[in-house]
Structure formats: C-alpha cells, structure tokens
Amino acid sequence: MKKEDLLNKKFETKAIHSGQEPDGITGSIMTPIHLSSTFVQTSPGQHTGYEYSRTANPTRTAYETCLAELEGGNRAFALASGCAATSLVLHRLKVGDEVIASDDMYGGTYRLFEKVFKNKGIKFHYVDLTSPESMKSVLSKNTQLVWVETPTNPTLKMIDIQRVKELLPRGVDLCVDNTFMSSYFQKPLLHGADLVVHSTTKFMNGHSDVVGGAVISSRKELSDELAFLANSVGNIAGAFDSYLVMRSLKTLPVRMERHQENAFGVSGFLESHPKIDKVIYPGLRNHPQYEIAEKQMTGFGGVISFILKGGLTEAKAFLESVRVFSLAESLGGVESLIEHPGIMTHASVPKEQRKQLGINDSFIRLSVGLENKDDLLADLRQALNRAFAL
Ligand code: P1T
C-alpha cells in the first residue's frame, strides 16, 4: 500500500503494509532482502540515499518504518538484540549522569547497567516504581534517564507510565522497555514516554528464530542523536533479521490475541490448583496493579509467573516433567516456554535482591504460546501430578 493510503488506517493494516510499498521495478509485493553491504554512487556523494548498510539499508528502512508506525513514534532503529537496543539508549549518557530504574527487570539489563555502564561512570538507582513517588528520594540534578519495564520481568509489576513522566523534571527522559506487551497491547509513547525499547526476539518476532532489538523515539532531536549513535556504534540489525521480524509483525495482532486467550486459560487453571501458592498475571483482578494494567494496556499479554508449593526439589521435578511446554529462556514465541528465573534468566541479579522481589526457588515463569489450550492445561496438570506424586 502507498504511504498516503495508510493514513488513519488501523494497527492491523499498518502491521501488514507500513514501509512496504511494492517494488517499483518488479512489482514484488514482499520487500526484497537487500544483502548488499554497499551501494554504487554515480559521483562522489551522489547516491540514492543508500551508501553503506551500517548507515542505512533498504530492507532495514522498511522494517524501521513499520516499527515507528506501530509504536506511534517519530523514528525507529532496528538493532542486533534487545541488549543492543538498551545499550544504544545508554550510549546517550556521559560520565556523572544518573539513571533511575525499576527494581525488577530482565537480568541481562541489570547486568548491562551494573557490570558495563556503571564502570563507565554512570550511576544507577533502583526503586520500586509501582509507587512513582519513590523516585523523589533519588532524583537529582544529574538524573538524565528513567528506565521502566512494565510489566516487569519476571514479577510482572505494573508501572504507571503517565504518572512517572508527570513527576520528572523537564529534560529527564523516560524509556519504557515494551517487550512483554509488544506494540500491539501497549504504546508507551502515547502515555508520555520519550523512548521505547523492545527485545524483538520476543513477541514482535514471535517465532524464536531471530535475536533482535529496537528503539523507537518520540521526537526528531532524539531520533537524530540515535541515528548518529547507531551508525557510530554499529550495533544494527542485519537485512535478513530485519526481513524476518517485518514478516512476523504482519501476524502480531492475531498472535497477541491468542497468546492472551491461552494465558487467561492457563492462569485460571493455575489459580484453582491446590499445589500453586500464587499466580501473577496482569489480567487477573487480584493483580495488585490491575487498575494500571487496564488503564494503559489494551490487553494483558502471554506471560504468567507463579509460585509453587514446596521448594526447589518440587520446582525442578515439575520443570523436568513438562512435555508440551519447553524448559528454555526467552518468551513470546509461538511455542510455550517455561523457566526458573532464579537459576536461569535472572541469575545475574544478586540473591538478596531476588529474595526481596519474591523470586524464590519455587518461582516459575511461563510464556504461553499458541498451542491448543487444552493440551497446555493437560501438560501442566500431568507435570504437577508428577512433581507432587498426586
Ligand atoms: O535477549 P535480547 O534480545 O538481547 O533482549 C534482552 C531483553 C530486554 N528486555 C526484556 C524485557 C527482556 O525480557 C530481554 C530478554 N529476556 C529474556 C531472554 C528472558 O527470558 O527473559
């Protein structure tokens, strides 16, 4: 579809068409994968807009245009991984700058903050942003950035994006990691965020065959700065990965709806099971921040966390017994995954901090996929039976 015909079109239409006009020469309806690293110039400095693929690549441009449209942003940048996307945002900072971050986040993001950027002279403060007012105790004239995951990984706390932004002085940017909801269920820029980050490895790609990331900026001066940094740092996505995620975005709305439907089924089953102590899913009315979830998201996603009765022995027996779910890190793919954050995805978070967050030996995280719901429930039931010898 032509750009002008896409104005005022709905999300599903944009997901399929944005940035992807048919090829002018061949009429090819699918965007070609431009693997070329360089582009021929007719005279020094005279070219089609493409000179070298680190700076810009036609397949990546099509994908980035689609990402920016879906998130409601000024411009998007496709990066090599979610961690590369986070790094790009942090590369804007300089020695002495301070960051306020939510106390619960992906272990790899925490590691990047504490073991890489802290050593470059950037200071990080971690607070429970479910009460945004708690930022006040650490906010200073050096604060440049607030980093929010919502829902957080893995305890699924909800943070009020609009409220956090309201409390920030001018010039302090708010970046929201939107990985768990995808652009379909949550649009942080519309609630006042300045930047959005995705691990596109997750729901955005959804087929567990790409590691990728994205940053979407709300305004031109941020976009210009990020374009300079992406080209200079060079942690960009390749053409083939760009093609794969762009292809996956076409089915994002239908996938997210089914992830959610299955997740409601699984969370209901877990809530009624005698061997489960606690179920955390943003769509459950007993979620402590259910009102925020309802206010700022248009769905609740496909990730569920829960606490089993018993200890590590039972948890391991349960995780070893699943047959439809796969025991693996990651989330957001068509296949259902299960994992133990304490040992797997959040091992780099200090034990004491995990304890404070309630990530104990019996804490399990599910990414509910698109298999038949009854098969998923039957699998969890038989694995619980085995673990507890019911
Ligand atoms: O793995 P990568 O594409 O680099 O993305 C990092 C990342 C960033 N933000 C969030 C919220 C994430 O969940 C992740 C990656 N998370 C996992 C691999 C996981 O299993 O939680």
CSV table of all heavy atoms in Angstrom, one decimal, residues 83 102-110 147-159 177-181 199 202-203 280 282 287 303-305 329-332 339-342 344-349 353-354 357 359 363-367:
chain,number,residue,atom,x,y,z
A,83,CYS,N,19.5,-6.3,24.1
A,83,CYS,CA,20.6,-5.7,24.9
A,83,CYS,C,21.3,-4.6,24.0
A,83,CYS,O,21.7,-3.6,24.6
A,83,CYS,CB,21.6,-6.7,25.3
A,83,CYS,SG,20.9,-7.7,26.7
A,102,SER,N,13.5,0.8,37.5
A,102,SER,CA,12.7,-0.1,38.3
A,102,SER,C,13.5,-1.2,38.9
A,102,SER,O,14.4,-1.7,38.3
A,102,SER,CB,11.5,-0.6,37.5
A,102,SER,OG,11.9,-1.1,36.3
A,103,ASP,N,13.1,-1.6,40.2
A,103,ASP,CA,13.9,-2.6,40.9
A,103,ASP,C,13.8,-4.0,40.3
A,103,ASP,O,14.6,-4.9,40.7
A,103,ASP,CB,13.6,-2.6,42.4
A,103,ASP,CG,12.1,-2.9,42.7
A,103,ASP,OD1,11.3,-3.0,41.7
A,103,ASP,OD2,11.7,-2.9,43.9
A,104,ASP,N,12.8,-4.2,39.5
A,104,ASP,CA,12.7,-5.5,38.8
A,104,ASP,C,12.8,-5.3,37.3
A,104,ASP,O,12.2,-4.5,36.7
A,104,ASP,CB,11.3,-6.1,39.2
A,104,ASP,CG,11.2,-7.5,38.6
A,104,ASP,OD1,12.2,-8.3,38.6
A,104,ASP,OD2,10.0,-7.9,38.2
A,105,MET,N,13.7,-6.1,36.7
A,105,MET,CA,13.9,-6.0,35.3
A,105,MET,C,14.6,-7.3,34.8
A,105,MET,O,15.1,-8.1,35.6
A,105,MET,CB,14.7,-4.8,34.9
A,105,MET,CG,16.1,-4.8,35.5
A,105,MET,SD,17.2,-3.5,34.9
A,105,MET,CE,16.6,-2.2,36.0
A,106,TYR,N,14.7,-7.5,33.5
A,106,TYR,CA,15.4,-8.6,32.9
A,106,TYR,C,16.8,-8.6,33.5
A,106,TYR,O,17.5,-7.6,33.5
A,106,TYR,CB,15.4,-8.5,31.4
A,106,TYR,CG,16.3,-9.5,30.7
A,106,TYR,CD1,16.2,-10.8,31.0
A,106,TYR,CD2,17.3,-9.0,29.8
A,106,TYR,CE1,17.1,-11.7,30.4
A,106,TYR,CE2,18.2,-9.9,29.2
A,106,TYR,CZ,18.1,-11.3,29.5
A,106,TYR,OH,18.9,-12.2,28.9
A,107,GLY,N,17.3,-9.8,33.9
A,107,GLY,CA,18.6,-10.0,34.5
A,107,GLY,C,19.8,-9.4,33.6
A,107,GLY,O,20.7,-8.9,34.1
A,108,GLY,N,19.6,-9.6,32.3
A,108,GLY,CA,20.7,-9.1,31.4
A,108,GLY,C,20.7,-7.6,31.3
A,108,GLY,O,21.8,-7.0,31.0
A,109,THR,N,19.6,-6.9,31.5
A,109,THR,CA,19.6,-5.5,31.5
A,109,THR,C,20.3,-5.0,32.8
A,109,THR,O,21.1,-4.1,32.8
A,109,THR,CB,18.1,-4.9,31.4
A,109,THR,OG1,17.5,-5.5,30.3
A,109,THR,CG2,18.1,-3.4,31.3
A,110,TYR,N,20.0,-5.7,33.9
A,110,TYR,CA,20.6,-5.3,35.2
A,110,TYR,C,22.1,-5.5,35.0
A,110,TYR,O,22.9,-4.7,35.5
A,110,TYR,CB,20.0,-6.2,36.3
A,110,TYR,CG,20.6,-6.0,37.6
A,110,TYR,CD1,20.2,-4.8,38.4
A,110,TYR,CD2,21.6,-6.8,38.2
A,110,TYR,CE1,20.7,-4.6,39.6
A,110,TYR,CE2,22.1,-6.6,39.4
A,110,TYR,CZ,21.7,-5.5,40.1
A,110,TYR,OH,22.2,-5.2,41.4
A,147,TRP,N,14.4,4.4,33.6
A,147,TRP,CA,14.3,3.2,32.9
A,147,TRP,C,13.2,2.3,33.5
A,147,TRP,O,13.2,1.9,34.7
A,147,TRP,CB,15.6,2.4,32.9
A,147,TRP,CG,15.5,1.2,32.0
A,147,TRP,CD1,15.1,0.0,32.3
A,147,TRP,CD2,15.9,1.2,30.6
A,147,TRP,NE1,15.2,-0.8,31.2
A,147,TRP,CE2,15.7,-0.1,30.1
A,147,TRP,CE3,16.5,2.2,29.7
A,147,TRP,CZ2,16.0,-0.5,28.8
A,147,TRP,CZ3,16.7,1.8,28.4
A,147,TRP,CH2,16.5,0.5,28.0
A,148,VAL,N,12.2,2.0,32.7
A,148,VAL,CA,11.0,1.3,33.2
A,148,VAL,C,10.7,0.1,32.4
A,148,VAL,O,10.6,0.2,31.1
A,148,VAL,CB,9.8,2.2,33.2
A,148,VAL,CG1,8.5,1.4,33.3
A,148,VAL,CG2,9.9,3.3,34.3
A,149,GLU,N,10.5,-1.1,33.0
A,149,GLU,CA,9.9,-2.2,32.3
A,149,GLU,C,8.5,-2.3,32.9
A,149,GLU,O,8.3,-2.3,34.1
A,149,GLU,CB,10.6,-3.5,32.7
A,149,GLU,CG,11.7,-4.0,31.8
A,149,GLU,CD,12.3,-5.3,32.2
A,149,GLU,OE1,11.7,-6.1,32.9
A,149,GLU,OE2,13.5,-5.5,31.8
A,150,THR,N,7.5,-2.4,32.0
A,150,THR,CA,6.2,-2.6,32.5
A,150,THR,C,5.4,-3.4,31.5
A,150,THR,O,5.3,-3.0,30.4
A,150,THR,CB,5.5,-1.3,32.9
A,150,THR,OG1,4.1,-1.6,33.4
A,150,THR,CG2,5.3,-0.3,31.8
A,151,PRO,N,4.9,-4.6,31.9
A,151,PRO,CA,5.1,-5.3,33.2
A,151,PRO,C,6.6,-5.7,33.3
A,151,PRO,O,7.3,-5.9,32.3
A,151,PRO,CB,4.3,-6.6,33.0
A,151,PRO,CG,3.4,-6.4,31.9
A,151,PRO,CD,4.0,-5.4,31.0
A,152,THR,N,7.0,-5.8,34.6
A,152,THR,CA,8.4,-6.1,34.9
A,152,THR,C,8.7,-7.6,34.7
A,152,THR,O,7.8,-8.4,34.8
A,152,THR,CB,8.8,-5.6,36.3
A,152,THR,OG1,8.1,-6.4,37.2
A,152,THR,CG2,8.6,-4.2,36.5
A,153,ASN,N,9.9,-7.9,34.4
A,153,ASN,CA,10.4,-9.2,34.1
A,153,ASN,C,11.2,-9.7,35.4
A,153,ASN,O,12.2,-9.1,35.6
A,153,ASN,CB,11.2,-9.3,32.9
A,153,ASN,CG,11.7,-10.6,32.5
A,153,ASN,OD1,11.4,-11.6,33.1
A,153,ASN,ND2,12.5,-10.7,31.4
A,154,PRO,N,10.8,-10.7,36.1
A,154,PRO,CA,9.7,-11.6,35.9
A,154,PRO,C,8.5,-11.4,36.9
A,154,PRO,O,7.6,-12.2,36.8
A,154,PRO,CB,10.4,-12.9,36.2
A,154,PRO,CG,11.2,-12.6,37.4
A,154,PRO,CD,11.7,-11.2,37.2
A,155,THR,N,8.5,-10.4,37.7
A,155,THR,CA,7.4,-10.4,38.8
A,155,THR,C,6.2,-9.7,38.3
A,155,THR,O,5.2,-9.6,39.0
A,155,THR,CB,7.9,-9.7,40.1
A,155,THR,OG1,8.2,-8.4,39.9
A,155,THR,CG2,9.1,-10.5,40.7
A,156,LEU,N,6.2,-9.2,37.0
A,156,LEU,CA,5.0,-8.6,36.3
A,156,LEU,C,4.3,-7.5,37.1
A,156,LEU,O,3.1,-7.4,37.2
A,156,LEU,CB,4.0,-9.7,36.0
A,156,LEU,CG,4.6,-10.9,35.2
A,156,LEU,CD1,3.5,-12.0,35.1
A,156,LEU,CD2,5.0,-10.4,33.8
A,157,LYS,N,5.2,-6.6,37.7
A,157,LYS,CA,4.7,-5.4,38.4
A,157,LYS,C,4.3,-4.4,37.3
A,157,LYS,O,5.0,-4.3,36.2
A,157,LYS,CB,5.7,-4.8,39.3
A,157,LYS,CG,6.1,-5.7,40.5
A,157,LYS,CD,6.8,-4.9,41.6
A,157,LYS,CE,8.2,-4.7,41.4
A,157,LYS,NZ,8.9,-4.1,42.5
A,158,MET,N,3.2,-3.7,37.5
A,158,MET,CA,2.8,-2.7,36.5
A,158,MET,C,3.2,-1.3,37.0
A,158,MET,O,3.0,-1.0,38.2
A,158,MET,CB,1.3,-2.7,36.4
A,158,MET,CG,0.7,-4.0,36.1
A,158,MET,SD,1.1,-4.7,34.5
A,158,MET,CE,0.9,-3.2,33.5
A,159,ILE,N,3.8,-0.5,36.1
A,159,ILE,CA,4.2,0.8,36.5
A,159,ILE,C,3.4,1.8,35.6
A,159,ILE,O,3.3,1.7,34.4
A,159,ILE,CB,5.7,1.0,36.3
A,159,ILE,CG1,6.4,0.0,37.3
A,159,ILE,CG2,6.2,2.4,36.4
A,159,ILE,CD1,7.8,-0.3,36.9
A,177,ASP,N,10.8,-0.2,28.4
A,177,ASP,CA,11.0,-1.5,27.7
A,177,ASP,C,9.6,-2.1,27.6
A,177,ASP,O,9.0,-2.6,28.5
A,177,ASP,CB,12.0,-2.3,28.6
A,177,ASP,CG,12.3,-3.6,27.9
A,177,ASP,OD1,11.5,-4.2,27.1
A,177,ASP,OD2,13.4,-4.2,28.1
A,178,ASN,N,9.2,-2.2,26.3
A,178,ASN,CA,7.8,-2.6,26.0
A,178,ASN,C,7.8,-4.1,25.5
A,178,ASN,O,6.8,-4.5,24.9
A,178,ASN,CB,7.2,-1.7,24.9
A,178,ASN,CG,5.7,-1.7,24.8
A,178,ASN,OD1,5.1,-2.1,25.8
A,178,ASN,ND2,5.2,-1.3,23.7
A,179,THR,N,8.8,-4.8,25.8
A,179,THR,CA,9.0,-6.2,25.3
A,179,THR,C,7.8,-7.1,25.6
A,179,THR,O,7.3,-7.9,24.8
A,179,THR,CB,10.3,-6.8,25.9
A,179,THR,OG1,11.4,-6.0,25.4
A,179,THR,CG2,10.5,-8.2,25.4
A,180,PHE,N,7.3,-7.0,26.9
A,180,PHE,CA,6.3,-8.0,27.3
A,180,PHE,C,4.9,-7.8,26.7
A,180,PHE,O,4.2,-8.7,26.5
A,180,PHE,CB,6.2,-8.0,28.8
A,180,PHE,CG,7.1,-8.9,29.5
A,180,PHE,CD1,8.4,-9.1,29.1
A,180,PHE,CD2,6.7,-9.7,30.6
A,180,PHE,CE1,9.3,-10.0,29.7
A,180,PHE,CE2,7.6,-10.6,31.2
A,180,PHE,CZ,8.9,-10.7,30.8
A,181,MET,N,4.6,-6.5,26.3
A,181,MET,CA,3.3,-6.2,25.8
A,181,MET,C,3.3,-6.2,24.2
A,181,MET,O,2.3,-6.3,23.6
A,181,MET,CB,2.8,-4.9,26.3
A,181,MET,CG,2.2,-5.1,27.7
A,181,MET,SD,0.9,-6.3,27.8
A,181,MET,CE,1.6,-7.5,28.9
A,199,SER,N,12.9,-5.9,23.0
A,199,SER,CA,13.7,-7.1,22.6
A,199,SER,C,12.7,-7.7,21.5
A,199,SER,O,11.7,-8.4,21.9
A,199,SER,CB,13.9,-8.1,23.7
A,199,SER,OG,14.3,-9.3,23.1
A,202,LYS,N,11.4,-11.4,21.1
A,202,LYS,CA,10.2,-11.9,21.9
A,202,LYS,C,8.9,-11.8,21.0
A,202,LYS,O,8.9,-12.3,19.9
A,202,LYS,CB,10.1,-11.2,23.2
A,202,LYS,CG,11.4,-11.2,24.0
A,202,LYS,CD,11.9,-12.6,24.4
A,202,LYS,CE,13.3,-12.7,24.9
A,202,LYS,NZ,14.2,-11.7,24.9
A,203,PHE,N,7.9,-11.2,21.5
A,203,PHE,CA,6.6,-11.2,20.8
A,203,PHE,C,6.7,-10.6,19.4
A,203,PHE,O,6.0,-11.1,18.5
A,203,PHE,CB,5.5,-10.5,21.6
A,203,PHE,CG,5.1,-11.3,22.8
A,203,PHE,CD1,5.6,-10.9,24.1
A,203,PHE,CD2,4.3,-12.4,22.7
A,203,PHE,CE1,5.2,-11.6,25.2
A,203,PHE,CE2,4.0,-13.1,23.9
A,203,PHE,CZ,4.4,-12.7,25.1
A,280,ILE,N,0.6,-14.8,39.2
A,280,ILE,CA,0.7,-13.4,38.9
A,280,ILE,C,0.5,-13.3,37.4
A,280,ILE,O,1.2,-13.8,36.6
A,280,ILE,CB,2.1,-12.8,39.2
A,280,ILE,CG1,2.6,-13.2,40.6
A,280,ILE,CG2,2.1,-11.3,39.0
A,280,ILE,CD1,4.0,-12.9,40.9
A,282,PRO,N,-1.2,-10.0,34.8
A,282,PRO,CA,-1.8,-8.7,34.8
A,282,PRO,C,-3.3,-8.7,34.5
A,282,PRO,O,-4.0,-7.7,34.9
A,282,PRO,CB,-1.0,-7.9,33.7
A,282,PRO,CG,0.3,-8.7,33.5
A,282,PRO,CD,-0.1,-10.1,33.8
A,287,HIS,N,-4.5,-8.9,40.7
A,287,HIS,CA,-3.2,-8.4,40.5
A,287,HIS,C,-3.1,-7.0,41.2
A,287,HIS,O,-4.0,-6.2,41.1
A,287,HIS,CB,-2.9,-8.2,39.0
A,287,HIS,CG,-1.5,-7.8,38.7
A,287,HIS,ND1,-1.0,-6.5,39.0
A,287,HIS,CD2,-0.4,-8.5,38.2
A,287,HIS,CE1,0.3,-6.5,38.7
A,287,HIS,NE2,0.7,-7.6,38.2
A,303,VAL,N,2.5,-13.7,29.3
A,303,VAL,CA,3.5,-14.2,30.3
A,303,VAL,C,2.8,-14.3,31.7
A,303,VAL,O,2.1,-13.3,32.1
A,303,VAL,CB,4.7,-13.2,30.4
A,303,VAL,CG1,5.7,-13.7,31.5
A,303,VAL,CG2,5.4,-13.1,29.0
A,304,ILE,N,3.0,-15.4,32.3
A,304,ILE,CA,2.4,-15.6,33.7
A,304,ILE,C,3.6,-16.1,34.6
A,304,ILE,O,4.4,-16.9,34.2
A,304,ILE,CB,1.4,-16.8,33.6
A,304,ILE,CG1,0.2,-16.5,32.6
A,304,ILE,CG2,0.9,-17.1,35.0
A,304,ILE,CD1,-0.7,-17.6,32.4
A,305,SER,N,3.6,-15.5,35.8
A,305,SER,CA,4.5,-16.1,36.8
A,305,SER,C,3.7,-16.7,37.9
A,305,SER,O,2.6,-16.3,38.2
A,305,SER,CB,5.4,-14.9,37.3
A,305,SER,OG,6.3,-14.5,36.3
A,329,GLU,N,15.0,-20.4,28.3
A,329,GLU,CA,14.9,-19.0,28.5
A,329,GLU,C,14.2,-18.4,27.3
A,329,GLU,O,14.0,-19.0,26.2
A,329,GLU,CB,16.3,-18.4,28.5
A,329,GLU,CG,17.1,-19.0,29.7
A,329,GLU,CD,18.3,-18.2,30.1
A,329,GLU,OE1,18.6,-17.1,29.5
A,329,GLU,OE2,19.1,-18.6,31.0
A,330,SER,N,13.8,-17.2,27.4
A,330,SER,CA,13.1,-16.4,26.4
A,330,SER,C,11.6,-16.5,26.5
A,330,SER,O,11.1,-17.2,27.5
A,330,SER,CB,13.5,-16.8,24.9
A,330,SER,OG,13.2,-15.7,24.1
A,331,LEU,N,10.9,-15.8,25.7
A,331,LEU,CA,9.4,-15.7,25.8
A,331,LEU,C,8.9,-15.1,24.5
A,331,LEU,O,9.6,-14.6,23.7
A,331,LEU,CB,9.0,-14.8,27.0
A,331,LEU,CG,9.6,-13.4,27.0
A,331,LEU,CD1,8.6,-12.4,26.6
A,331,LEU,CD2,10.2,-13.1,28.3
A,332,GLY,N,7.6,-15.2,24.3
A,332,GLY,CA,6.9,-14.5,23.2
A,332,GLY,C,6.9,-15.3,21.9
A,332,GLY,O,6.4,-14.8,20.9
A,339,GLU,N,10.3,-21.5,32.6
A,339,GLU,CA,11.7,-21.3,33.1
A,339,GLU,C,11.7,-21.0,34.5
A,339,GLU,O,10.7,-20.7,35.1
A,339,GLU,CB,12.4,-20.2,32.3
A,339,GLU,CG,11.9,-18.9,32.5
A,339,GLU,CD,12.9,-17.9,33.1
A,339,GLU,OE1,14.1,-18.3,33.3
A,339,GLU,OE2,12.5,-16.8,33.4
A,340,HIS,N,12.9,-21.1,35.1
A,340,HIS,CA,13.1,-20.8,36.5
A,340,HIS,C,14.0,-19.6,36.6
A,340,HIS,O,15.2,-19.7,36.4
A,340,HIS,CB,13.8,-22.1,37.1
A,340,HIS,CG,14.0,-22.0,38.6
A,340,HIS,ND1,14.9,-21.3,39.3
A,340,HIS,CD2,13.2,-22.6,39.6
A,340,HIS,CE1,14.8,-21.4,40.6
A,340,HIS,NE2,13.8,-22.2,40.8
A,341,PRO,N,13.4,-18.4,36.8
A,341,PRO,CA,14.2,-17.1,36.8
A,341,PRO,C,15.4,-17.1,37.7
A,341,PRO,O,16.5,-16.6,37.4
A,341,PRO,CB,13.2,-16.1,37.2
A,341,PRO,CG,11.9,-16.6,36.7
A,341,PRO,CD,12.0,-18.1,37.0
A,342,GLY,N,15.2,-17.7,38.9
A,342,GLY,CA,16.3,-17.7,39.9
A,342,GLY,C,17.6,-18.3,39.4
A,342,GLY,O,18.7,-17.9,39.6
A,344,MET,N,17.9,-19.3,35.9
A,344,MET,CA,18.1,-19.0,34.5
A,344,MET,C,18.2,-17.6,34.2
A,344,MET,O,19.2,-17.0,34.3
A,344,MET,CB,17.0,-19.8,33.7
A,344,MET,CG,17.1,-21.3,33.9
A,344,MET,SD,15.7,-22.2,33.4
A,344,MET,CE,15.7,-22.1,31.6
A,345,THR,N,17.1,-16.9,33.8
A,345,THR,CA,17.1,-15.6,33.3
A,345,THR,C,17.6,-14.5,34.2
A,345,THR,O,18.0,-13.4,33.8
A,345,THR,CB,15.8,-15.1,32.7
A,345,THR,OG1,14.8,-15.4,33.8
A,345,THR,CG2,15.4,-15.9,31.5
A,346,HIS,N,17.4,-14.7,35.5
A,346,HIS,CA,17.8,-13.7,36.5
A,346,HIS,C,18.9,-14.1,37.5
A,346,HIS,O,19.0,-13.5,38.6
A,346,HIS,CB,16.5,-13.2,37.2
A,346,HIS,CG,15.5,-12.5,36.4
A,346,HIS,ND1,14.9,-13.1,35.3
A,346,HIS,CD2,15.2,-11.2,36.3
A,346,HIS,CE1,14.1,-12.2,34.7
A,346,HIS,NE2,14.3,-11.0,35.2
A,347,ALA,N,19.7,-15.0,37.0
A,347,ALA,CA,20.8,-15.5,37.8
A,347,ALA,C,21.8,-14.3,38.1
A,347,ALA,O,22.5,-14.3,39.1
A,347,ALA,CB,21.6,-16.6,37.2
A,348,SER,N,21.8,-13.3,37.2
A,348,SER,CA,22.8,-12.2,37.4
A,348,SER,C,22.3,-11.1,38.4
A,348,SER,O,23.0,-10.2,38.7
A,348,SER,CB,23.2,-11.6,36.0
A,348,SER,OG,22.0,-11.2,35.3
A,349,VAL,N,21.0,-11.3,38.8
A,349,VAL,CA,20.5,-10.4,39.9
A,349,VAL,C,20.9,-11.0,41.2
A,349,VAL,O,20.7,-12.2,41.5
A,349,VAL,CB,19.0,-10.3,39.8
A,349,VAL,CG1,18.4,-9.4,40.9
A,349,VAL,CG2,18.5,-9.7,38.4
A,353,GLN,N,18.6,-9.4,46.4
A,353,GLN,CA,17.6,-8.6,45.7
A,353,GLN,C,16.5,-9.5,45.1
A,353,GLN,O,15.3,-9.1,45.2
A,353,GLN,CB,18.3,-7.9,44.5
A,353,GLN,CG,17.5,-6.7,44.0
A,353,GLN,CD,18.3,-5.9,42.9
A,353,GLN,OE1,19.5,-5.8,43.0
A,353,GLN,NE2,17.6,-5.5,41.9
A,354,ARG,N,16.8,-10.7,44.6
A,354,ARG,CA,15.8,-11.6,44.2
A,354,ARG,C,14.8,-11.9,45.3
A,354,ARG,O,13.6,-12.0,45.1
A,354,ARG,CB,16.4,-12.9,43.6
A,354,ARG,CG,17.1,-12.7,42.3
A,354,ARG,CD,17.3,-14.0,41.5
A,354,ARG,NE,17.9,-15.1,42.3
A,354,ARG,CZ,19.1,-15.5,42.3
A,354,ARG,NH1,20.0,-14.9,41.5
A,354,ARG,NH2,19.6,-16.5,43.0
A,357,LEU,N,12.4,-9.3,46.0
A,357,LEU,CA,11.3,-9.3,44.9
A,357,LEU,C,10.4,-10.5,45.0
A,357,LEU,O,9.4,-10.5,44.2
A,357,LEU,CB,12.0,-9.2,43.6
A,357,LEU,CG,12.7,-7.8,43.3
A,357,LEU,CD1,13.6,-8.0,42.0
A,357,LEU,CD2,11.7,-6.7,43.0
A,359,ILE,N,11.4,-13.6,44.2
A,359,ILE,CA,11.9,-14.6,43.2
A,359,ILE,C,12.6,-15.7,43.9
A,359,ILE,O,13.8,-15.6,44.1
A,359,ILE,CB,12.8,-13.9,42.1
A,359,ILE,CG1,12.1,-12.7,41.5
A,359,ILE,CG2,13.1,-14.9,41.0
A,359,ILE,CD1,13.0,-11.8,40.6
A,363,PHE,N,9.7,-20.0,42.3
A,363,PHE,CA,9.1,-19.0,41.4
A,363,PHE,C,9.3,-19.5,40.0
A,363,PHE,O,10.5,-19.7,39.5
A,363,PHE,CB,9.8,-17.7,41.6
A,363,PHE,CG,9.2,-16.5,40.9
A,363,PHE,CD1,8.4,-15.6,41.6
A,363,PHE,CD2,9.4,-16.3,39.6
A,363,PHE,CE1,7.8,-14.5,41.0
A,363,PHE,CE2,8.8,-15.2,38.9
A,363,PHE,CZ,8.0,-14.3,39.6
A,364,ILE,N,8.3,-19.6,39.2
A,364,ILE,CA,8.3,-20.1,37.8
A,364,ILE,C,7.7,-19.1,36.9
A,364,ILE,O,6.7,-18.5,37.2
A,364,ILE,CB,7.5,-21.4,37.7
A,364,ILE,CG1,7.8,-22.4,38.8
A,364,ILE,CG2,7.6,-22.1,36.3
A,364,ILE,CD1,8.8,-23.5,38.6
A,365,ARG,N,8.3,-19.0,35.7
A,365,ARG,CA,7.7,-18.1,34.7
A,365,ARG,C,7.3,-18.9,33.4
A,365,ARG,O,8.0,-19.7,33.0
A,365,ARG,CB,8.7,-17.0,34.3
A,365,ARG,CG,8.1,-15.9,33.5
A,365,ARG,CD,9.2,-15.0,32.9
A,365,ARG,NE,9.9,-15.6,31.8
A,365,ARG,CZ,11.0,-15.1,31.2
A,365,ARG,NH1,11.5,-14.0,31.6
A,365,ARG,NH2,11.6,-15.7,30.2
A,366,LEU,N,6.1,-18.6,32.9
A,366,LEU,CA,5.6,-19.2,31.7
A,366,LEU,C,5.5,-18.2,30.6
A,366,LEU,O,5.0,-17.1,30.8
A,366,LEU,CB,4.2,-19.8,31.9
A,366,LEU,CG,3.9,-20.8,32.9
A,366,LEU,CD1,2.4,-21.1,33.0
A,366,LEU,CD2,4.7,-22.1,32.6
A,367,SER,N,5.8,-18.6,29.4
A,367,SER,CA,5.4,-17.8,28.2
A,367,SER,C,4.4,-18.7,27.5
A,367,SER,O,4.7,-19.8,27.0
A,367,SER,CB,6.6,-17.6,27.3
A,367,SER,OG,6.2,-17.0,26.1
